[in-house]
Amino acid sequence: MRVFKFGGASVKSAEAVRNVGEIISDYQGEKIVVIISAMGKTTNALEKILTAENSNIELLISEVEVFHNDIIKKLFPDSESKVYKRVNTVYAEMRSFISNNDMQTTKSYAHFVGFGEILSTIIINQYLNLNGIKSIWCDAGDLIITENKYVEAKVQWHKSIEKIKGKITSLFKDNDIVISQGFIARTESGECSTLGREGSDYSAAIFANAINSEDLTIWKDVPGLLNADPKFFDKTYKLDYISYRETIELAYYGASIIHPKTIQPLKKKSIPLYIKSFLNPKDKGTTVQQEAFADSMISSYIFKKNQVIVSISARDFSFIAEDSLSLIFKQLNSYNLKVNLMQNSAISFSICLDNNKELVRSFIADMQKIFKVRYNEDMELITIQNYNQEVIDELIGNREVFLEQKSRTTVQILVR
Ligand code: ASP
Ligand code: MG
């Protein structure tokens, strides 16, 4: 048994879906769970509908409809194909959901954005069946169970594992391919929830863990895990082998290649992760695995732009001690602000955050009631794994360094 994951870019057009079909048919005779994201930028389009003016909603929904119908028309020449009826039912559900619910709640958000994955998986499952691949559609919401929170919900591990194991084993009796959705889940009370944006990788890892998959392959539009973002660098290297540990760190520091939660369920069962190109499926890609011997000594770079550094000190020049720290973190947690870097000195405590302006301003305002607070915006956080001085100097250039922190393998530098 294996698990494949195809993201939005790999199913963004009819041609892309055909390519996915070809990749799957290369593995004929194997049992594969295929986890799929919403097509192209559909999740963004659905998020936009949720915040749109009433007068705009119908237009935006019909854009989503036209986008999917254009793909369907190219894949299903027979206008009697049952795919049309299936997707029309979903479009109708979307409209009725909008008319009957308050779109401002996180509960509505989770329900509505999930329609993207429902559409993509219906289309791809029907397409595979039409082309002689025996696949079956399965609702991920029946299998991945989360806490009673709607967005970025934590997975109820034991319940989910039991459900996935049972269902997938039984579906594999009569089918080679099970098609299910990434990103979406259901709460213990049976409402829709999500695992957070870009969470489909994590969904795939949960399935892989549950069924003791031989491996997990994430099919991407890049040749594998690269040491830097090709958007910013002319010369990048593919890492052939990398350990779970180094990959978790890269994802944690902000490399956008896979969702940071993906590795842990794989590591627990030593399931290798292959990151491969759906454009060149025969190429080897990157293997992520247990062993550290293969850890790459190539330096990897990650940039986080739009950072803010907030420095907090006591009004009376006293130390920032444990009681103050716990107050600061409680407030950060209540705004769901994630600390990218922190440093404590005798009288001030500095933290670097993504500059989500509204939240950061509210946090600063709260802190100013008790402490003296200074902040600086428009900073960039550079993280280098397997660093050396030459690489550091090159990446900093002539920018001003505000904070620097080094461990044996990783250096983080905040610059402006
Ligand atoms: N479709 C969801 C998103 O765009 C989940 C995913 O792609 O992983 O965030
Ligand atoms: Mg996506």
Side-chain angles (χ1 to χ4, degrees):
M1 292 186 286
R2 331 182 82 148
V3 179
F4 284 180
K5 183 261 174 172
F6 290 98
S10 66
V11 292
K12 65 176 183 193
S13 64
E15 198 192 355
V17 172
R18 283 197 194 98
N19 179 55
V20 165
E22 274 168 37
I23 292 175
I24 293 174
S25 58
D26 282 343
Y27 292 80
Q28 221 167 33
E30 300 204 43
K31 303 285 184 197
I32 310 173
V33 177
V34 181
I35 301 299
I36 305 175
S37 304
M39 292 177 146
K41 303 261 177 255
T42 300
T43 310
N44 292 352
L46 296 174
E47 281 188 347
K48 217 166 114 192
I49 294 173
L50 288 165
T51 54
E53 301 278 336
N54 272 339
S55 55
N56 259 337
I57 287 180
E58 179 47 39
L59 174 73
L60 294 173
I61 292 195
S62 53
E63 277 173 16
V64 170
E65 186 175 332
V66 167
F67 169 73
H68 287 88
N69 284 350
D70 280 347
I71 294 177
I72 296 172
K73 277 183 215 143
K74 292 181 188 146
L75 296 173
F76 302 86
D78 176 5
S79 60
E80 299 294 300
S81 162
K82 62 179 171 209
V83 73
Y84 290 100
K85 205 171 139 213
R86 298 279 315 266
V87 293
N88 284 335
T89 311
V90 180
Y91 303 145
E93 260 180 63
M94 288 166 64
R95 290 193 167 87
S96 115
F97 188 82
I98 292 263
S99 328
N100 296 316
N101 291 280
D102 171 7
M103 283 299 118
Q104 305 308 315
T105 65
T106 51
K107 183 171 163 184
S108 297
Y109 171 93
H111 192 117
F112 192 73
V113 291
F115 283 121
E117 270 71 12
I118 299 290
L119 285 168
S120 67
T121 49
I122 288 176
I123 296 169
I124 289 155
N125 182 51
Q126 294 287 332
Y127 174 78
L128 294 178
N129 286 337
L130 180 68
N131 291 280
I133 296 173
K134 235 176 138 196
S135 65
I136 188 158
W137 186 91
C138 169
D139 184 350
D142 289 339
L143 306 182
I144 299 189
I145 310 301
T146 66
E147 62 177 336
N148 286 326
K149 184 184 159 199
Y150 303 109
V151 178
E152 270 186 62
K154 278 200 196 90
V155 171
Q156 298 280 344
W157 198 255
H158 293 291
K159 279 186 195 152
S160 305
I161 296 302
E162 284 312 306
K163 284 187 188 278
I164 295 170
K165 238 195 302 195
K167 182 79 182 180
I168 299 295
T169 318
S170 96
L171 291 177
F172 272 157
K173 287 197 185 116
D174 295 314
N175 302 275
D176 290 339
I177 307 291
V178 176
I179 302 288
S180 195
Q181 306 79 38
F183 178 53
I184 61 174
R186 224 168 280 151
T187 66
E188 286 178 293
S189 337
E191 320 269 12
C192 294
S193 56
T194 78
L195 305 183
R197 287 301 310 266
E198 304 304 325
S200 297
D201 296 339
Y202 181 39
S203 303
I206 297 168
F207 274 88
N209 176 299
I211 65 168
N212 289 317
S213 181
E214 203 174 303
D215 45 39
L216 164 62
T217 307
I218 295 184
W219 298 91
K220 304 226 28 144
D221 55 1
V222 286
L225 203 65
L226 305 177
N227 72 323
D229 189 335
K231 270 188 262 159
F232 306 113
F233 282 86
D234 300 335
K235 222 163 88 196
T236 56
Y237 300 95
K238 176 171 78 77
L239 309 168
D240 292 334
Y241 292 94
I242 179 166
S243 67
Y244 293 127
R245 192 203 149 92
E246 244 188 273
T247 310
I248 285 189
E249 285 187 354
L250 286 174
Y252 171 81
Y253 291 128
S256 57
I257 184 100
I258 56 168
H259 191 279
K261 286 186 181 165
T262 311
I263 297 299
Q264 193 230 14
L266 302 176
K267 184 175 185 310
K268 266 196 204 148
K269 293 214 169 155
S270 298
I271 299 168
L273 166 64
Y274 304 122
I275 298 164
K276 288 170 69 123
S277 159
F278 59 76
L279 301 167
N280 299 298
K282 297 273 185 273
D283 289 358
K284 235 181 124 291
T286 295
T287 302
V288 183
Q289 59 183 18
Q290 198 77 265
E291 293 303 323
F293 70 80
D295 263 12
S296 147
M297 288 318 291
I298 298 176
S299 300
S300 295
Y301 328 129
I302 300 150
F303 298 94
K304 269 186 184 238
K305 292 184 192 291
N306 194 23
Q307 300 290 300
V308 54
I309 180 170
V310 182
S311 296
I312 300 167
S313 46
R315 291 233 170 91
D316 62 0
F317 228 61
S318 63
F319 297 136
I320 293 277
E322 280 65 17
D323 51 346
S324 304
L325 288 174
S326 97
L327 201 89
I328 295 168
F329 277 101
K330 208 168 138 220
Q331 214 52 23
L332 285 167
N333 188 39
S334 78
Y335 286 112
N336 213 356
L337 287 168
K338 304 224 161 52
V339 177
N340 295 327
L341 188 67
M342 58 186 157
Q343 203 162 61
N344 204 4
S345 70
I347 50 163
S348 110
F349 180 63
S350 299
I351 46 181
C352 166
L353 308 163
D354 290 345
N355 198 1
N356 179 332
K357 284 217 164 82
E358 220 173 288
L359 292 179
V360 171
R361 288 287 150 76
S362 309
F363 168 71
I364 290 175
D366 287 352
M367 289 294 109
Q368 276 169 335
K369 289 179 195 148
I370 312 168
F371 302 105
K372 212 167 89 193
V373 183
R374 283 171 304 134
Y375 66 96
N376 272 299
E377 301 182 286
D378 298 322
M379 314 282 254
E380 185 173 350
L381 179 62
I382 305 174
T383 303
I384 311 169
Q385 240 182 10
N386 301 321
Y387 63 87
N388 57 51
Q389 196 54 45
E390 201 184 326
V391 170
I392 294 178
D393 293 341
E394 193 186 317
L395 293 182
I396 294 178
N398 46 22
R399 288 180 289 181
E400 187 184 350
V401 174
F402 281 71
L403 257 187
E404 179 171 321
Q405 231 166 60
K406 274 184 184 163
S407 75
R408 206 167 40 82
T409 56
T410 307
V411 60
Q412 292 198 282
I413 309 157
L414 188 69
V415 298
R416 189 168 69 183

